[in-house]
Amino acid sequence: MNNCPLDIYSQDYSHSKWFVMLDIFKSHPERIITAIPLTIHLITENILQQTGRHQYLPVHIPPEHWVREGRIIKNKKTYRYYLKAIIDTALNHGIRVILPGFAFYLPDNYNKYSFENKLLDYNEHLCPVSIWGTPENVVNGIMSNNSITMSLAMEYNIPFISMNLCIPHNKEYYNDICHLTPKGISIMSQKLAEHIVSMEQTKNNLTPE
């Protein structure tokens, strides 16, 4: 979301093609009966994009001339706003919340050639970092999100799990910077289960007989 100039970035993520497409579909409830208005809208939007009238971040792989813009983390306010809204919604419905941070692993010798030739300390080498931006910018973005998640956990006094500290950084646990192997998924599941059991035990102990 950060891979664009400041004058293009929008706090509601409407600078992203993914969110624009979602909004277009949501704006046409009549599509259940007829798809004509939706089709016209999509064609019009496509023309505006092709002619450069509307500029959006693509779903994958940021534009080369924008990718350097990702060094400025612009989505702190947005990420906090939406995560806070999720927490509030859950708590208002009596649902207990656990906030895990994002786990990630970028080997020190990461580069495009080594990734494409599967020479890195990853298992399957699934997705190159370039899908999301430059390596340094992507790591900074993840760390920013984790910091906000942890701060909200402290603010609401709810559990925070630093998954990045729980999962070892090597090919046994990572297929790329953020996709886990079965071993990595097992650790993540175990940590979540431990917190769920602990919360349940605490609840039962506090329940009056």
Side-chain angles (χ1 to χ4, degrees):
M1 290 302 168
N2 294 299
N3 294 303
C4 67
L6 280 168
D7 60 340
I8 296 292
Y9 181 84
S10 178
Q11 291 292 346
D12 64 359
Y13 285 169
S14 59
H15 64 292
S16 163
K17 185 175 180 179
W18 172 259
F19 284 88
V20 169
M21 292 297 105
L22 288 177
D23 287 341
I24 289 176
F25 275 88
K26 285 170 61 179
S27 68
H28 290 280
E30 77 289 339
R31 67 184 183 277
I32 300 174
I33 302 173
T34 175
I36 294 176
L38 172 61
T39 302
I40 293 174
H41 196 162
L42 289 172
I43 292 174
T44 302
E45 180 60 40
N46 185 59
I47 292 173
L48 291 171
Q49 292 182 37
Q50 293 296 327
T51 57
R53 296 281 298 278
H54 287 178
Q55 297 185 72
Y56 302 117
L57 276 177
V59 176
H60 290 303
I61 307 177
E64 187 174 348
H65 63 291
W66 277 1
V67 71
R68 65 182 181 275
E69 303 289 346
R71 70 185 185 279
I72 301 175
I73 307 300
K74 311 170 187 70
N75 73 327
K76 291 181 180 180
K77 181 178 179 180
T78 305
Y79 184 79
R80 179 181 174 84
Y81 173 83
Y82 284 120
L83 183 55
K84 188 176 186 301
I86 292 171
I87 297 170
D88 288 337
T89 300
L91 296 180
N92 288 338
H93 285 79
I95 300 170
R96 286 169 291 166
V97 177
I98 296 173
L99 292 178
F102 293 104
F104 66 97
Y105 171 42
L106 186 75
D108 292 336
N109 60 337
Y110 184 94
N111 59 65
K112 181 180 178 181
Y113 174 85
S114 296
F115 186 91
E116 291 177 346
N117 288 276
K118 300 186 176 182
L119 302 175
L120 297 171
D121 190 28
Y122 288 140
N123 189 352
E124 296 184 19
H125 291 71
L126 292 179
C127 298
V129 179
S130 56
I131 286 180
W132 302 285
T134 65
E136 181 182 1
N137 293 346
V138 170
V139 168
N140 288 339
I142 296 173
M143 291 177 66
S144 171
N145 287 350
N146 281 348
S147 176
I148 293 168
T149 303
M150 184 168 63
S151 70
L152 283 172
M154 295 175 63
E155 179 180 326
Y156 281 85
N157 193 29
I158 54 181
F160 172 78
I161 309 175
S162 181
M163 286 296 181
N164 200 44
L165 295 179
C166 296
I167 302 174
H169 293 166
N170 62 61
K171 65 182 179 182
E172 287 190 54
Y173 303 93
Y174 285 87
N175 284 317
D176 55 39
I177 187 173
C178 61
H179 293 107
L180 302 174
T181 66
K183 278 190 174 182
I185 293 171
S186 178
I187 291 179
M188 178 176 285
S189 302
Q190 180 181 349
K191 293 299 179 182
L192 286 169
E194 289 173 358
H195 276 75
I196 292 171
V197 170
S198 176
M199 290 173 71
E200 193 66 22
Q201 290 175 339
T202 300
K203 175 188 174 184
N204 292 336
N205 290 337
L206 294 176
T207 301
E209 295 183 1

